[in-house]
Amino acid sequence: MWLVRLVPVETRYRFMWYRRWTFPLSALLSVLAVAAFLHFGMNTGIDFRGGTVMEMQAREGNADIAQIRVDANQLGFGNVEVQEFGTPRDVALRVQLQEGGEEVQQEVVSTLRSMFETDYDIRRVEVVGPRVSAELVQSGTLGVVMAIFGVLVYLWFRFEWHFAIGAVIATLHDLVLAIGFFAITQIEFNMTSIAALLTILGYSLNDTVVVYDRIRETMRKYKKVSVYEVLDIAVNATLSRTILTSLTTFLALMALAVLGGEIIKGFAYAMIFGLVIGTYSSIFVAAPILIYLGVRASSGVGSAARSEPDAAQPAE
């Protein structure tokens, strides 16, 4: 039986040699991401800024989301979100928080009712104030921090402390670049974006754990080679799996980005970026960082102090 192989069975790429370029590149990108966040800020959605939420159901046929969006934007209330939920007849309309206090918010509700109540049944109306939105920001931030802390604890018990610190550095690298992506592109940052960030962290962590597990196995197998070579062997051994996993995930995300509609596009674009960065960091950040953390093999393999093989160019 013929098998499709995107990567040769045995590769000998010198990935650790590339750290001389990838580490400065990662540092530069991280600095740019932080600068973009401080300069541009995040284009926060209604979930974080507060606003009015109105759930409606079409009296006849399916809800016309495109027309609702056009009509709501004509009212001049600023950022408007229209999203289908439940059945095709149900739709949620969100309008950003208006300045002027409670009276202004009630005027917004009255205006929206008068525009849509002819064709739609108004099922629920809710005004999200600044206090609620601030709590959502705190909850989202806490969720990301707890996820990173969970990563540290898990890897500390699963591997040695070197691996735990390396995984956290790679995870923070992906998180910083993902936040910089949102700041530069100004894609709306809402609760769906928090889900995207947590998914990116999970994907990156999964890739890192696979590479680290193979590194540990390789260290036990090869007892007379340098750590540089051990890391190269381990990364090459997982390369085919990494490429195939990334490719299939990329195809699914591209389908969401192209066919998923306006609501899901931001999530899909963020996930595509996170997929690329997560794959990159598991190979070019998580693995070589072990050299600088002084990792030693558990079965008598040489340590990171042993010299790296001299080479002007990486072997393939």
Side-chain angles (χ1 to χ4, degrees), residues 7-20:
V7 179
V9 177
E10 295 183 4
T11 57
R12 298 180 180 179
Y13 298 109
R14 296 274 306 281
F15 289 106
M16 297 308 105
W17 184 89
Y18 288 107
R19 77 184 189 278
R20 303 167 180 175

Side-chain angles (χ1 to χ4, degrees), residues 234-255:
V235 174
N236 276 282
T238 60
L239 187 60
S240 179
R241 174 263 172 201
T242 299
I243 291 179
L244 289 175
T245 302
S246 301
L247 180 60
T248 53
T249 307
F250 174 79
L251 293 176
L253 291 173
M254 282 300 298

Side-chain angles (χ1 to χ4, degrees), residues 174 177-178 181-182 187 196-197 199-200 203 246-259 264-280:
D174 297 343
L177 293 189
F181 172 79
F182 278 104
I187 293 176
L197 286 180
T199 307
I200 290 171
Y203 181 88
S246 301
L247 180 60
T248 53
T249 307
F250 174 79
L251 293 176
L253 291 173
M254 282 300 298
L256 287 177
V258 175
L259 306 174
I264 202 67
K265 277 187 177 181
F267 174 84
Y269 291 149
M271 283 298 302
I272 290 173
F273 179 81
L275 172 68
V276 175
I277 293 301
T279 303
Y280 162 85

Side-chain angles (χ1 to χ4, degrees), residues 162-163 166 212 215 219 231 285-295 304:
H162 311 83
F163 293 89
Y212 277 179
I215 289 174
M219 282 182 168
L231 296 178
V285 177
I289 198 68
L290 296 176
I291 296 173
Y292 300 102
L293 292 175
V295 67

Side-chain angles (χ1 to χ4, degrees), residues 145-169 171 205:
V145 172
M146 291 301 295
I148 297 175
F149 179 76
V151 169
L152 176 62
V153 173
Y154 168 74
L155 289 177
W156 198 294
F157 285 98
R158 176 71 185 274
F159 301 99
E160 300 176 4
W161 69 267
H162 311 83
F163 293 89
I165 298 300
V168 170
I169 291 175
T171 302
L205 171 62

Side-chain angles (χ1 to χ4, degrees), residues 101-121:
E102 183 66 24
E103 294 182 359
V104 175
Q105 309 310 318
Q106 293 303 320
E107 291 179 3
V108 171
V109 173
S110 300
T111 303
L112 293 175
R113 281 183 177 275
S114 62
M115 171 167 283
F116 296 109
E117 64 184 359
T118 302
D119 300 320
Y120 295 88
D121 290 326

